[in-house]
Amino acid sequence: MRKIKFQPMPGLTIVLVICVTILISLGVWQYQRLQWKTALLAEVEASVSAPPLKGLDALSEAIRQEAPIDFRRIAFTGKPQNGGSIYHLYSSQTGGIYWDIIEPIKSEGRYILAKTSEVNAQQKTTAPNTVIAPDSLSAPQSYIGYIRKTYPMGRVESWVKPKANIESNRYFYFDQNKNWYETLPTPNFEGYYIDVVEKAQSAETLPVKRPEIANNHFDYMLTWWSFALIFVVIYLILHRRAGRLQFV
């Protein structure tokens, strides 16, 4: 019966252990990302496939039950909040500079921020507008769109994105300064807003909005682990050629 005679090279072995440990760790990280992304996609699919919500009370109940609601369709009736601040959020488009208008809407005794329309650079004012019409003169309006969940800005993103300017009403990320909800009375839907679709007829006929979310983590996982295997193979080949790995 043949035996294996192996004399490892100390320096190369240390390098191998370090590299393989790093590569396997990266593969494990991608496996964890794969699990998270798969669950996220399933949650989004459940949300966009669900029937539209009718009113903010229904939204509040869905949040209480922890149901998936990001990108879910919704229809409700409400009024712009009297005296509430309106924010201008930069929207990258071809053909000029545009700003999304974010304003607070009151419905069923609750308040929520809604992206209701957009203006070009010339129409944008330098300071936040306020709704000055009294409630008695402000007719209820129908709002139809998608529920969006807000996510905190990442550290790197906060470094590279342009800074908000309150005086000129310029924002480049939703609730960039984390103070928009402070202007709203309670109860409000902090952490959520409505992406209103102008001229939509009903929430039922509103197209399902599936975000494009890539899920390539399985390939990344295999790539890192393949590199680890290649390092081990090269390590063994070098020892074989140096006569340190023999079958006797």
Side-chain angles (χ1 to χ4, degrees):
M1 182 176 178
R2 302 181 68 182
K3 297 182 179 180
I4 299 176
K5 183 179 179 181
F6 181 52
Q7 295 177 299
M9 302 178 188
L12 187 59
T13 301
I14 293 174
V15 172
L16 174 73
V17 171
I18 294 174
C19 292
V20 169
T21 300
I22 293 174
L23 292 170
I24 291 178
S25 299
L26 289 171
V28 171
W29 174 59
Q30 288 299 329
Y31 173 71
Q32 295 170 341
R33 295 277 294 173
L34 172 64
Q35 291 180 309
W36 166 77
K37 187 66 71 66
T38 301
L40 174 64
L41 289 172
E43 183 176 301
V44 169
E45 183 59 30
S47 179
V48 301
S49 303
L53 294 175
K54 301 293 186 180
L56 296 190
D57 282 345
L59 172 58
S60 179
E61 179 63 18
I63 295 174
R64 188 187 69 80
Q65 296 181 359
E66 298 183 350
I69 57 175
D70 201 9
F71 293 99
R72 189 168 179 177
R73 294 165 293 173
I74 188 173
F76 65 99
T77 301
K79 297 180 180 180
Q81 183 196 351
N82 186 35
S85 296
I86 296 178
Y87 304 99
H88 287 160
L89 181 64
Y90 179 76
S91 176
S92 178
Q93 297 184 31
T94 57
I97 297 175
Y98 291 87
W99 301 86
D100 291 327
I101 294 180
I102 314 294
E103 59 181 314
I105 307 299
K106 179 181 179 181
S107 176
E108 302 170 1
R110 304 174 186 272
Y111 299 83
I112 193 166
L113 293 172
K115 186 173 73 173
T116 55
S117 59
E118 67 177 19
V119 295
N120 59 32
Q122 289 72 33
Q123 296 170 319
K124 174 185 168 299
T125 57
T126 57
N129 293 324
T130 56
V131 180
I132 59 176
D135 288 341
S136 59
L137 299 180
S138 178
Q141 302 177 37
S142 176
Y143 295 93
I144 299 170
Y146 304 96
I147 304 163
R148 292 305 323 276
K149 184 176 181 179
T150 64
Y151 295 91
M153 187 185 299
R155 180 177 300 179
V156 175
E157 193 173 19
S158 66
W159 294 340
V160 300
K161 273 192 177 295
K163 304 303 179 184
N165 188 312
I166 299 176
E167 288 73 21
S168 61
N169 197 7
R170 290 163 51 92
Y171 297 88
F172 299 90
Y173 191 91
F174 190 92
D175 199 13
Q176 192 169 13
N177 290 347
K178 298 182 180 179
N179 60 3
W180 289 6
Y181 294 98
E182 295 177 0
T183 66
L184 297 180
T186 56
N188 65 59
F189 290 90
E190 183 170 354
Y192 298 91
Y193 71 96
I194 307 299
D195 186 0
V196 175
V197 178
E198 295 185 84
K199 300 180 181 179
Q201 299 300 314
S202 70
E204 288 77 9
T205 59
L206 197 63
V208 170
K209 188 175 184 178
R210 287 183 175 85
E212 295 183 3
I213 304 176
N215 188 14
N216 302 318
H217 300 291
F218 182 78
D219 294 338
Y220 299 153
M221 176 189 70
L222 292 182
T223 299
W224 291 122
W225 287 348
S226 296
F227 285 155
L229 179 60
I230 291 171
F231 268 68
V232 172
V233 171
I234 293 174
Y235 172 82
L236 295 176
I237 290 174
L238 292 175
H239 280 76
R240 177 70 172 171
R241 290 181 176 179
R244 289 175 170 265
L245 175 61
Q246 299 178 3
F247 300 92
V248 297

